[in-house]
């Protein structure tokens, strides 16, 4: 009998020390359900990267600078030479003998670009290196009325892109002027030259006309006019 009160006292002390759970209210139930709801993964959007944009920041730098993640276009392996760039618009300024060349980057890692200019069948002239953000360059010293071939070359640590060989197939058949790295370039004569040529041709025509008239009148003075001689009355009738 003495052990029963001790056992009851021990049980009372145990239940008094155990933490008491509080009942969950409606707000707690909603928060618990909200925490257990799976969140949809955020979908990444393409980066604001344009292969044809002049001074375009590299796409990997756009990924680091942007507030949200973005996707870059796929590139070939850096252990391979880059694909040929795509030469686009070429704007010729005949008055100053220059041309502005625009191109688009290939789907390859590129460290630098440069231009190749070939006049007729001569050797190509290599321009200065341009960094990987450049998409537009100016050619100077073009001769009025000259015919050229301009090519854009891309390079990385593995090598440089290919260009059609000189004297090979027609450039119109090698990828086309809007797809390949090269294009034929014809510089028209300067407008002042055309005016001078027109004035020279006009002056030559006037001089020839005056010479013909003078020659005609000189012949009439020397030999006379046959019609007037036939119409004169016969003397002594």
């Amino acid at each position: 009998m003495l052990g029963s009160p001790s056992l009851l006292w021990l049980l009372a002390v145990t239940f008094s020390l155990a933490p008491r759970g509080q009942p969950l209210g409606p707000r707690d139930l909603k928060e618990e359900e909200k925490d257990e709801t799976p969140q949809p993964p955020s979908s990444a959007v393409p980066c604001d990267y344009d292969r044809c944009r002049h001074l375009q920041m590299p796409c990997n730098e756009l990924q680091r600078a942007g507030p949200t993640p973005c996707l870059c276009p796929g590139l070939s392996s850096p252990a391979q030479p880059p694909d040929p760039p795509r030469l686009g618009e070429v704007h010729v300024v005949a008055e100053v003998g220059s041309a502005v060349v625009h191109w688009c980057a290939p789907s390859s890692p590129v460290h630098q670009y440069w231009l190749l200019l070939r006049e007729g069948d001569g050797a190509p002239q290599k321009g200065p290196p341009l960094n990987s953000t450049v998409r537009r360059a100016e050619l100077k010293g073009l001769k009025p009325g000259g015919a050229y071939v301009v090519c854009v070359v891309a390079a990385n640590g593995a090598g440089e892109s290919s260009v059609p060989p000189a004297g090979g197939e027609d450039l119109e058949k090698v990828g086309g002027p809007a797809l390949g790295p090269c294009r034929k370039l014809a510089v028209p004569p300067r407008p002042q030259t055309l005016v001078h040529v027109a004035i020279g041709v006009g002056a030559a025509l006037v001089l020839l006309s005056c010479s013909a008239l003078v020659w005609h009148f000189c012949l009439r003075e020397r030999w006379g006019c046959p019609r007037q001689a036939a119409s004169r009355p016969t003397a002594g009738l």
Side-chain angles (χ1 to χ4, degrees):
M1 296 300 293
L2 292 176
S4 297
S6 300
L7 180 60
L8 293 176
W9 179 82
L10 181 61
L11 291 174
V13 171
T14 303
F15 281 111
S16 64
L17 293 177
R20 297 180 180 179
Q22 297 180 356
L24 295 177
R27 180 178 300 176
D28 298 332
L29 291 175
K30 290 182 180 179
E31 292 180 356
E32 185 176 356
E33 293 177 357
K34 184 177 179 181
D35 295 339
E36 293 179 357
T37 303
Q39 299 292 334
S42 58
S43 58
V45 297
C47 298
D48 184 18
Y49 178 81
D50 188 352
R51 300 184 188 276
C52 304
R53 183 185 299 161
H54 184 50
L55 301 181
Q56 171 64 67
M57 181 185 297
C59 194
N60 55 356
E61 297 184 13
L62 290 176
Q63 286 181 321
R64 294 193 296 265
T68 57
C70 61
L71 298 176
C72 288
L75 299 176
S76 62
S77 171
Q80 299 177 354
D83 295 330
R86 178 167 60 90
L87 189 62
E89 180 184 3
V90 178
H91 180 63
V92 179
V93 185
E95 291 80 0
V96 295
S98 65
V100 179
V101 182
H102 182 268
W103 65 88
C104 298
S107 299
S108 307
V110 178
H111 296 167
Q112 63 181 4
Y113 298 97
W114 63 77
L115 295 178
L116 293 178
L117 183 66
R118 184 172 67 247
E119 181 180 5
D121 297 331
Q125 299 179 3
K126 182 178 178 180
L130 308 169
N131 64 58
S132 60
T133 66
V134 175
R135 302 290 188 272
R136 187 173 64 242
E138 184 179 5
L139 295 171
K140 297 182 179 180
L142 303 179
K143 300 177 183 178
Y148 300 88
V149 174
V150 57
C151 301
V152 57
V153 181
N156 58 16
E160 60 187 55
S161 61
S162 60
V163 295
E169 298 183 13
D170 189 2
L171 294 178
E172 301 295 333
K173 300 179 182 179
V174 185
L179 299 177
C182 300
R183 178 178 291 188
K184 292 182 178 179
L185 180 62
V187 181
R190 291 192 180 99
Q192 295 86 351
T193 305
L194 294 177
V195 172
H196 295 163
V197 171
I199 293 175
V201 171
L205 292 176
V206 172
L207 182 60
L208 288 176
S209 300
C210 294
S211 300
L213 290 175
V214 171
W215 181 258
H216 174 71
F217 284 113
C218 287
L219 289 178
R220 288 187 60 181
E221 287 292 331
R222 184 174 182 180
W223 301 103
C225 183
R227 293 183 180 179
Q228 293 181 1
S231 62
R232 291 177 183 176
T234 304
L237 292 180

